[in-house]
Amino acid sequence: MSAAALFTALGLILGFRFLYFMAIGEGTGHIQSVVLSGALLGMGVQVGLIAFVADLISVNRKLLEQIRLQLKEKKTGKDD
């Protein structure tokens, strides 16, 4: 998630940079900031979603391991 935060922060900084130049009337020469800002914001969202799914997979794996251990103990006759 820290990588997603980094990409998002950089995208926001470049977006605010463009808005600043637009506010002072010099925004026509800074279109590259908008393009790079959009790309970085998109990357930030995608990396954040991938990190979220990876965390869900990790929790699911841990739960499956716990269930497998409980079933194995039940088969052998061990109780807690």
Side-chain angles (χ1 to χ4, degrees):
M1 280 299 212
S2 58
L6 177 68
F7 285 129
T8 304
L10 290 174
L12 288 174
I13 289 170
L14 287 174
F16 286 131
R17 177 182 183 267
F18 175 75
L19 289 177
Y20 169 74
F21 282 119
M22 281 297 288
I24 63 172
E26 298 179 12
T28 56
H30 299 280
I31 300 300
Q32 70 275 14
S33 293
V34 175
V35 173
L36 188 57
S37 174
L40 287 171
L41 287 172
M43 287 172 57
V45 168
Q46 288 180 353
V47 170
L49 289 174
I50 290 170
F52 180 69
V53 170
D55 188 51
L56 288 177
I57 290 171
S58 171
V59 170
N60 188 38
R61 181 187 52 82
K62 289 176 187 175
L63 288 172
L64 287 173
E65 287 176 359
Q66 185 180 13
I67 291 169
R68 183 174 179 239
L69 180 63
Q70 288 175 352
L71 287 174
K72 187 177 181 181
E73 288 176 354
K74 196 175 245 187
K75 269 188 177 179
T76 60
K78 293 181 183 177
D79 287 332
D80 290 339

